[in-house]
Amino acid sequence: MLQLTPHHRLLLAVNPVDFRKGIDSLIALCQQYLNEDAYSGTIFVFTNKRRIAVKLLVYDGQGFWLCMKRFSQGQLKWWPKADTRTYTLNAQALQVLLYQGHPQRAAMSDDWKPVVAQ
């Protein structure tokens, strides 16, 4: 089971991805285009051009998880602009995004003491 925790590193791939891509193609995209190690435990978040679905890719030490959510109605209300290849966010903001909310407008309290992964 994939569980988001405050110490997970979360990266959104800003540019849309062809959702016909599977695990191997997304790993290559992470390593070649995003310049990130796909085996690092980072949770990579992708969307398609119409922003009606998201995919999450993460390596758990034994293999890769690829999760997809297609919205039954509407599309993402927010996605970062394309001035960078990636955008970092926290677990709370990702949950807001997955519920088609706007993470930058959500009234979330700051972490009292940030969790640091070692």
Side-chain angles (χ1 to χ4, degrees):
M1 179 176 182
L2 180 61
Q3 184 174 6
L4 295 177
T5 62
H7 68 274
H8 272 107
R9 182 172 178 239
L10 297 154
L11 283 180
L12 273 69
V14 175
N15 293 318
V17 172
D18 180 350
F19 265 28
R20 293 175 291 184
K21 290 184 183 295
I23 291 174
D24 293 330
S25 296
L26 292 173
I27 291 168
L29 190 140
C30 291
Q31 297 188 166
Q32 295 169 7
Y33 178 72
L34 302 178
N35 297 319
E36 294 287 339
D37 180 9
Y39 294 88
S40 66
T42 297
I43 297 174
F44 296 94
V45 184
F46 305 93
T47 190
N48 58 352
K49 192 173 184 177
R50 293 178 28 211
R51 306 227 194 284
I52 60 169
V54 292
K55 281 187 176 183
L56 282 71
L57 176 74
V58 64
Y59 182 74
D60 70 359
Q62 294 181 327
F64 281 92
W65 287 88
L66 180 61
C67 307
M68 180 177 166
K69 180 173 185 174
R70 185 179 67 197
F71 302 113
S72 55
Q73 295 181 9
Q75 63 187 55
L76 291 170
K77 305 273 187 264
W78 175 86
W79 197 260
K81 301 294 181 212
D83 20 335
T84 63
R85 291 182 182 189
T86 61
Y87 182 89
T88 303
L89 74 164
N90 63 26
Q92 288 176 319
L94 178 60
Q95 290 186 359
V96 170
L97 181 73
L98 292 174
Y99 278 93
Q100 293 175 277
H102 193 304
Q104 294 178 333
R105 293 184 185 156
M108 295 180 285
S109 59
D110 293 331
D111 292 334
W112 176 70
K113 184 175 182 181
V115 176
V116 179
Q118 296 189 9

